[in-house]
Amino acid sequence: MRKFLVINGPNLNRLGVREPAVYGRENLKTLEHNLQQLAEQQGVHIECVQSNHEGVIIDWIHEADENFDGIVINPGAFTHYSYAIRDAIASISVPVLEVHISNVHKREAFRHESVTAPVTAGQIVGLGIYGYELAILALLQKKGE
């Protein structure tokens, strides 16, 4: 059975509460529930984790290299400046897709640059929490090649 890790970075535990006009009203529990339903439909295992701490996220990325078939990551604010997370992604062999709930390109200028995207297989932005489901489906297709 294929296994995918979904990593959510800082402040994503505040989904549904933090800036709902930007991030929507669905909370992290709803997001994870939707992904588990998709997992059942697709016959895969999805593990969801969230941390506000850079080092914890790096450890999960390293561990995923031997334990998962792919990663979906929303690095949150770390997207724009964490070369440590970028280097962790670059150091592993499983595909990583970056997801952002909002369209970062329509927001503040500092959000337009992702230091992590260049070392990922792709990036999905602006599709709300549905972007996570699309990322899982894309990983399934990529692993089927």
Side-chain angles (χ1 to χ4, degrees):
M1 176 179 283
R2 294 199 176 131
K3 293 171 50 178
F4 300 109
L5 180 62
V6 177
I7 301 173
N8 278 297
N11 298 310
L12 287 155
N13 57 309
R14 304 284 298 159
L15 281 178
V17 176
R18 176 182 174 230
E19 299 180 78
V22 174
Y23 299 106
R25 299 213 177 272
E26 291 101 350
N27 60 28
L28 186 60
K29 192 175 202 172
T30 300
L31 165 61
E32 292 175 350
H33 174 76
N34 292 352
L35 291 175
Q36 293 306 330
Q37 285 187 314
L38 178 65
E40 286 179 27
Q41 293 167 0
Q42 297 296 321
V44 300
H45 172 79
I46 295 175
E47 185 174 324
C48 299
V49 293
Q50 186 278 327
S51 180
N52 296 316
H53 305 282
E54 184 178 36
V56 172
I57 293 170
I58 292 165
D59 288 342
W60 286 331
I61 293 168
H62 292 167
E63 292 166 10
D65 197 28
E66 295 182 13
N67 298 305
F68 290 89
D69 298 301
I71 298 173
V72 173
I73 187 169
N74 182 339
F78 290 137
T79 302
H80 316 294
Y81 66 88
S82 179
Y83 293 101
I85 290 176
R86 180 230 177 266
D87 290 348
I89 294 169
S91 79
I92 64 172
S93 60
V94 298
V96 178
L97 285 176
E98 183 176 306
V99 173
H100 296 283
I101 294 168
S102 69
N103 183 346
V104 294
H105 305 291
K106 287 180 126 180
R107 299 188 60 204
E108 304 93 338
F110 77 89
R111 295 187 195 274
H112 299 178
E113 180 70 26
S114 170
V115 300
T116 51
V119 293
T120 66
Q123 185 186 58
I124 299 171
V125 302
L127 300 178
I129 65 172
Y130 182 59
Y132 289 81
E133 294 179 39
L134 292 174
I136 293 294
L137 293 172
L139 284 173
L140 280 168
Q141 182 177 7
K142 186 164 193 59
K143 292 304 282 186
E145 293 175 352

